[in-house]
Each structure stands twice: as C-alpha cells, then as structure tokens.
Amino acid sequence: MAFVTRQFVRSMSSSSTATASAKKILVKHVTVIGGGLMGAGIAQVAAATGHTVVLVDQTEDILAKSRKGIEESLRRVAKKKFAENPKGADEFVAKTLSSISTSTDAASVVHSTHLVVEAIVENLQVKNELFKRLDKFAAEHTIFASNTSSLQITSLANSTTRQDRFAGLHFFNPVPLMKLVEVIKTPMTSQKTFESLLDFSRALGKDPVACKDTPGFIVNRLLVPYLMEAVRLCERGDASKEDIDTAMKLGAGYPMGPFELLDYVGLDTTKFILDGWHEMDSKNPLFQPCPSLNKLVAEKKFGKKSGEGFYKYK
Ligand SMILES: NC(=O)c1ccc[n+]([C@@H]2O[C@H](COP(=O)([O-])OP(=O)(O)OC[C@H]3O[C@@H](n4cnc5c(N)ncnc54)[C@H](O)[C@@H]3O)[C@@H](O)[C@H]2O)c1
C-alpha cells in the first residue's frame, strides 16, 4: 500500500512538474521598448542568441542611432568571437542585425510578441501610461517586464490587467558584457511567468538571480548605500576620494573605486535612486541625502557622461 501511495505521489509530482513546465512560455519573439543605453543592449543580446526582436523608440532618428550603436558593438563582439574567421564575423553581424526590426509605434507591434521588455525613461507615470496602453494591444499570453532600477514593479504591474504576467527583468550595463539578470517576482507574478523569464535569461547566456520586489533588488540595495558611505567618509574629511578609491581597489579587490564607479554610473542616476528610497523610507540612515552628491548634480556634473563628476574627464 505504502509502495502504491509512493508511486502515485511520485507519478503525480512528476506529471505536475511536466505540466507546469509545459505551460511555460518559450520566448522567441521579444519587443524591446526604449532604444537607449539599456534597450539597445538588450535588443542586441536577444538577437545574437537567436530571438526575433522589435526595437521601439520615439523617433526614427533615435532608432537609427541605436541600430548604429548595436552594429558597432556587434563588430567588437564578432572581432573577438571570430578572431580567425573574418567572413564568419561579417555573417554573425549581418545575421544578428537582420533579426532586429524597428518601430516608432509600440501598440502596433505587440500583438504577437511573447515578451515586452520596457527600458524607457525612469519615470513612473510615463512607464505606467505605456504599460496601460500596451495591455490593450498585446496578446493574452504576452509577458510584460520592466528593466527599471528603482521603481516598484508592483506599481507598474497595477497599471495593467495582467499582474500575473508581469515581472522585473533587471539587466546591467553594459548589457552585452554583464552576465547578471535580476528576475523580480511581485506577490502577483505567476510561477509560470517567473520561470519563463528565468529560462529567457538563460537563453540570452545570462545568469539570472531571483529577488522580491524590494527597493534596489539585490545589487543596488547593497551597492548604493556602499557608494554613499564612501561619499560620507570623504565629506567628514576622514579620507580623500583618491585614497578611498585606491583602498577599495587594492584592499577589497574591487575593479573600480566608489568615486570612479559613481562617475561611471552617473551622479544624476544615483541621486534619483537615493531620493526615491528616501521618499519611501525617510528614517533609514542609509537613504539620507548626500550634500556633495546633490551639489555636483545641481552643477550638472553628472560624471563621465558630462565630462566631470567627482573627477574631471576632459
Ligand atoms: N543606465 C543603466 O546603467 C541602467 C541599468 C539598469 C537598468 N536601467 C534602467 O533601464 C531603463 C532605461 O535606462 P537607459 O539608461 O537605457 O536610458 P536612456 O535614456 O539611455 O534610454 C531611454 C530610451 O527610452 C526612450 N523613450 C522614452 N520614452 C519612451 C516611450 N514612451 N516610448 C518609447 N521609447 C521611449 C528614449 O527616447 C530613450 O532612447 C530605466 O528604467 C533605467 O532605470 C538603467
């Protein structure tokens, strides 16, 4: 009897596992909204790994620039990947580019896509408007994912009627090089959606990790307070920024010091994240505003991209 029960349980559990995985969505067609730094990278990696991609942005000019950037990036990848085979490199670039089409009208291209990855401006209202509109045009099975770094995935999901098919898919910059993807599950995200996104991340050649919908997810929740502590250490006059950078590179083995990293990420981006967290939890000492960061941002010194931040790049 016990044997029969065990067999029954085993066969039930294996058939339910098979059913669960059979229900997962195999993502082959991806719509990436936003052809900036992150969206272009996501589109590139998806196309290079055999997916069909539609890249959407506001104007043809922006899309032409994204496409040019993707082509240049692919040439760099191909040069390494096909070091001994220039013809293979050209074919790889041409084949990958041919898998990416572009559009300025998101609503008209989402009717038959498996996955929409949103990578537009970091603004809750703008993202909500986009998702609300696309929800009406996308197929029933289509999964929506946001690449947001600092907004709550749950708030974005609530602008749609597909909260179970909504999750965070947080890539890292530069997308073609960084192996990590954080897959964010809200209390409403279905297991099927979550697993489909883990599979998709792996299909891109990335290593996904899972996290709940909490401020900063894993990496930024640890990284941003660390960066701010470095600025506070310097503000107190305990050490210079140069010595703090040297110390963390040589003493902790980090590839960049905190001030170098802040300049690379962008001081405006970091301030935006910190301010958002401070608004959510104003008593948390790790989320307190940083005077020297605020001063540099007010002076439009955003880091590497503007030519000056904590360091000068001109
Ligand atoms: N930059 C990073 O290091 C990084 C890392 C991880 C996640 N993110 C997140 O990724 C998202 C995009 O960041 P980014 O650095 O690529 O920004 P970006 O400014 O380089 O690109 C954003 C693009 O979105 C387009 N856009 C804006 N509104 C749009 C709309 N309604 N429809 C279509 N396109 C629209 C813009 O024209 C622009 O090309 C943000 O949510 C950001 O928080 C950024």
Side-chain angles (χ1 to χ4, degrees):
M1 183 62 192
F3 173 73
V4 172
T5 311
R6 262 202 310 276
Q7 282 291 74
F8 178 70
V9 169
R10 204 173 296 145
S11 83
M12 280 302 285
S13 61
S14 65
S15 73
S16 64
T17 309
T19 318
S21 51
K23 279 191 201 156
K24 282 193 281 186
I25 290 192
L26 177 62
V27 174
K28 294 305 288 177
H29 187 291
V30 192
T31 303
V32 180
I33 321 267
L37 192 64
M38 297 305 289
I42 297 165
Q44 176 186 328
V45 171
T49 49
H51 300 83
T52 303
V53 180
V54 182
L55 181 61
V56 179
D57 209 305
Q58 292 168 309
T59 68
E60 294 293 351
D61 279 357
I62 299 174
L63 286 168
K65 213 174 135 203
S66 301
R67 219 180 155 77
K68 194 161 171 274
I70 291 173
E71 183 169 353
E72 284 165 8
S73 173
L74 278 170
R75 292 215 176 278
R76 285 194 294 274
V77 174
K79 210 172 164 187
K80 275 193 201 151
K81 200 170 165 175
F82 299 90
E84 312 285 310
N85 177 7
K87 194 165 167 267
D90 287 346
E91 281 169 7
F92 167 75
V93 174
K95 186 167 180 284
T96 306
L97 284 175
S98 73
S99 302
I100 305 176
S101 58
T102 56
S103 171
T104 52
D105 182 11
S108 70
V109 295
V110 292
H111 50 82
S112 57
T113 197
H114 295 124
L115 171 66
V116 171
V117 182
E118 170 276 312
I120 67 168
V121 58
E122 188 75 337
N123 177 304
L124 182 65
Q125 199 186 334
V126 179
K127 286 189 196 276
N128 274 343
E129 273 164 24
L130 175 77
F131 280 125
K132 190 175 174 192
R133 182 165 140 76
L134 296 188
D135 193 33
K136 297 195 185 95
F137 292 92
E140 194 64 23
H141 64 265
T142 301
I143 295 173
F144 283 9
S146 176
N147 184 48
T148 180
S149 293
S150 63
L151 303 173
Q152 233 198 352
I153 303 297
T154 307
S155 311
L156 297 171
N158 283 339
S159 66
T160 72
T161 56
R162 61 182 76 219
Q163 288 99 332
D164 60 321
R165 281 148 288 150
F166 203 114
L169 206 53
H170 189 224
F171 291 85
F172 289 78
N173 178 32
V175 181
L177 296 182
M178 298 295 277
K179 292 284 283 177
L180 185 69
V181 179
E182 291 173 329
V183 183
I184 316 304
K185 197 171 188 276
T186 77
M188 303 164 300
T189 308
S190 71
Q191 189 62 18
K192 172 183 153 184
T193 298
F194 176 65
E195 286 178 20
S196 303
L197 291 176
L198 288 177
D199 286 354
F200 172 65
S201 306
R202 290 186 194 109
L204 297 181
K206 304 294 181 197
D207 290 320
V209 292
C211 186
K212 287 187 185 167
D213 189 17
T214 56
F217 315 132
I218 299 176
V219 173
N220 284 342
R221 180 63 180 79
L222 296 176
L223 190 58
V224 174
Y226 150 71
L227 295 173
M228 290 304 105
E229 277 301 282
V231 178
R232 291 183 192 112
L233 188 72
C234 185
E235 276 175 352
R236 291 194 298 270
D238 295 341
S240 69
K241 59 179 186 288
E242 291 81 4
D243 280 356
I244 296 171
D245 277 349
T246 302
M248 293 313 289
K249 284 188 284 189
L250 301 186
Y254 288 10
M256 290 171 117
F259 292 91
E260 291 167 336
L261 187 56
L262 275 161
D263 277 356
Y264 179 75
V265 170
L267 305 190
D268 50 339
T269 307
T270 309
K271 174 175 159 49
F272 184 85
I273 294 174
L274 192 68
D275 289 352
W277 292 356
H278 183 58
E279 223 172 273
M280 270 190 263
D281 182 2
S282 62
K283 293 211 165 67
N284 192 327
L286 296 174
F287 299 169
Q288 295 309 305
C290 242
S292 40
L293 180 75
N294 289 348
K295 182 171 178 289
L296 288 170
V297 173
E299 292 166 355
K300 305 233 172 310
K301 292 172 182 165
F302 299 146
K304 257 190 141 168
K305 63 184 167 189
S306 70
E308 186 173 346
F310 284 101
Y311 295 108
K312 285 197 171 107
Y313 298 89
K314 281 171 196 156

Short mmCIF file of all heavy atoms in Angstrom, two decimals, residues 26-28 45-46 49-51 197-206:
data_model
loop_
_atom_site.label_atom_id
_atom_site.label_comp_id
_atom_site.label_asym_id
_atom_site.label_seq_id
_atom_site.Cartn_x
_atom_site.Cartn_y
_atom_site.Cartn_z
N LEU A 26 7.88 29.77 -24.03
CA LEU A 26 9.20 29.77 -24.64
C LEU A 26 9.31 31.07 -25.43
O LEU A 26 8.64 31.23 -26.47
CB LEU A 26 9.36 28.55 -25.56
CG LEU A 26 10.67 28.48 -26.31
CD1 LEU A 26 11.86 28.37 -25.36
CD2 LEU A 26 10.67 27.31 -27.28
N VAL A 27 10.11 31.98 -24.93
CA VAL A 27 10.20 33.30 -25.55
C VAL A 27 11.10 33.23 -26.78
O VAL A 27 12.28 32.90 -26.68
CB VAL A 27 10.74 34.35 -24.54
CG1 VAL A 27 10.96 35.68 -25.22
CG2 VAL A 27 9.78 34.49 -23.36
N LYS A 28 10.52 33.49 -27.93
CA LYS A 28 11.31 33.54 -29.17
C LYS A 28 11.22 34.92 -29.83
O LYS A 28 12.09 35.33 -30.56
CB LYS A 28 10.81 32.47 -30.18
CG LYS A 28 11.03 31.03 -29.75
CD LYS A 28 12.45 30.68 -29.39
CE LYS A 28 13.39 30.60 -30.56
NZ LYS A 28 14.80 30.33 -30.08
N VAL A 45 21.63 41.58 -27.48
CA VAL A 45 21.90 40.26 -26.90
C VAL A 45 20.80 39.27 -27.28
O VAL A 45 21.06 38.10 -27.59
CB VAL A 45 22.04 40.39 -25.36
CG1 VAL A 45 22.09 39.03 -24.71
CG2 VAL A 45 23.29 41.18 -25.01
N ALA A 46 19.54 39.74 -27.30
CA ALA A 46 18.43 38.85 -27.66
C ALA A 46 18.58 38.39 -29.12
O ALA A 46 18.43 37.20 -29.42
CB ALA A 46 17.10 39.56 -27.44
N THR A 49 21.31 35.84 -29.76
CA THR A 49 21.07 34.49 -29.22
C THR A 49 19.85 33.84 -29.87
O THR A 49 19.19 32.99 -29.27
CB THR A 49 20.91 34.54 -27.68
OG1 THR A 49 19.96 35.58 -27.34
CG2 THR A 49 22.22 34.83 -26.98
N GLY A 50 19.52 34.30 -31.07
CA GLY A 50 18.51 33.58 -31.87
C GLY A 50 17.07 34.04 -31.68
O GLY A 50 16.15 33.35 -32.11
N HIS A 51 16.85 35.18 -31.02
CA HIS A 51 15.49 35.68 -30.86
C HIS A 51 15.16 36.68 -31.98
O HIS A 51 16.06 37.34 -32.50
CB HIS A 51 15.33 36.36 -29.50
CG HIS A 51 15.62 35.44 -28.34
ND1 HIS A 51 16.90 35.18 -27.89
CD2 HIS A 51 14.79 34.70 -27.58
CE1 HIS A 51 16.84 34.32 -26.89
NE2 HIS A 51 15.58 34.01 -26.68
N LEU A 197 10.75 33.68 -17.49
CA LEU A 197 11.77 34.74 -17.53
C LEU A 197 13.14 34.22 -17.12
O LEU A 197 14.17 34.68 -17.64
CB LEU A 197 11.34 35.93 -16.67
CG LEU A 197 10.13 36.69 -17.25
CD1 LEU A 197 9.69 37.80 -16.30
CD2 LEU A 197 10.45 37.27 -18.62
N LEU A 198 13.16 33.26 -16.18
CA LEU A 198 14.45 32.64 -15.84
C LEU A 198 15.00 31.93 -17.07
O LEU A 198 16.18 32.07 -17.41
CB LEU A 198 14.27 31.62 -14.71
CG LEU A 198 13.99 32.14 -13.30
CD1 LEU A 198 13.79 30.96 -12.34
CD2 LEU A 198 15.13 33.01 -12.79
N ASP A 199 14.13 31.19 -17.76
CA ASP A 199 14.56 30.46 -18.98
C ASP A 199 15.03 31.44 -20.05
O ASP A 199 16.05 31.19 -20.71
CB ASP A 199 13.40 29.63 -19.54
CG ASP A 199 13.11 28.40 -18.69
OD1 ASP A 199 13.88 28.14 -17.75
OD2 ASP A 199 12.11 27.71 -18.97
N PHE A 200 14.29 32.52 -20.22
CA PHE A 200 14.67 33.51 -21.23
C PHE A 200 16.04 34.10 -20.91
O PHE A 200 16.90 34.22 -21.78
CB PHE A 200 13.60 34.62 -21.30
CG PHE A 200 13.99 35.79 -22.16
CD1 PHE A 200 14.18 35.64 -23.53
CD2 PHE A 200 14.19 37.05 -21.60
CE1 PHE A 200 14.55 36.73 -24.33
CE2 PHE A 200 14.56 38.14 -22.39
CZ PHE A 200 14.75 37.96 -23.75
N SER A 201 16.26 34.43 -19.63
CA SER A 201 17.56 35.00 -19.22
C SER A 201 18.69 34.02 -19.54
O SER A 201 19.75 34.42 -20.04
CB SER A 201 17.58 35.32 -17.73
OG SER A 201 16.49 36.13 -17.40
N ARG A 202 18.46 32.75 -19.25
CA ARG A 202 19.49 31.74 -19.54
C ARG A 202 19.71 31.62 -21.05
O ARG A 202 20.85 31.46 -21.51
CB ARG A 202 19.09 30.38 -18.95
CG ARG A 202 19.15 30.37 -17.44
CD ARG A 202 18.90 28.97 -16.86
NE ARG A 202 18.64 29.09 -15.44
CZ ARG A 202 17.46 28.91 -14.87
NH1 ARG A 202 16.41 28.56 -15.58
NH2 ARG A 202 17.31 29.07 -13.56
N ALA A 203 18.62 31.71 -21.81
CA ALA A 203 18.74 31.62 -23.28
C ALA A 203 19.57 32.78 -23.83
O ALA A 203 20.17 32.68 -24.90
CB ALA A 203 17.36 31.60 -23.92
N LEU A 204 19.62 33.89 -23.09
CA LEU A 204 20.44 35.03 -23.51
C LEU A 204 21.91 34.82 -23.12
O LEU A 204 22.75 35.68 -23.39
CB LEU A 204 19.96 36.32 -22.83
CG LEU A 204 18.55 36.83 -23.13
CD1 LEU A 204 18.29 38.13 -22.38
CD2 LEU A 204 18.34 37.05 -24.61
N GLY A 205 22.17 33.73 -22.41
CA GLY A 205 23.54 33.48 -21.93
C GLY A 205 23.83 34.17 -20.62
O GLY A 205 25.00 34.33 -20.23
N LYS A 206 22.78 34.61 -19.93
CA LYS A 206 22.96 35.31 -18.66
C LYS A 206 22.75 34.36 -17.48
O LYS A 206 22.19 33.27 -17.64
CB LYS A 206 21.95 36.47 -18.53
CG LYS A 206 21.99 37.48 -19.67
CD LYS A 206 23.29 38.25 -19.70
CE LYS A 206 23.34 39.28 -20.80
NZ LYS A 206 24.69 39.74 -21.10
#
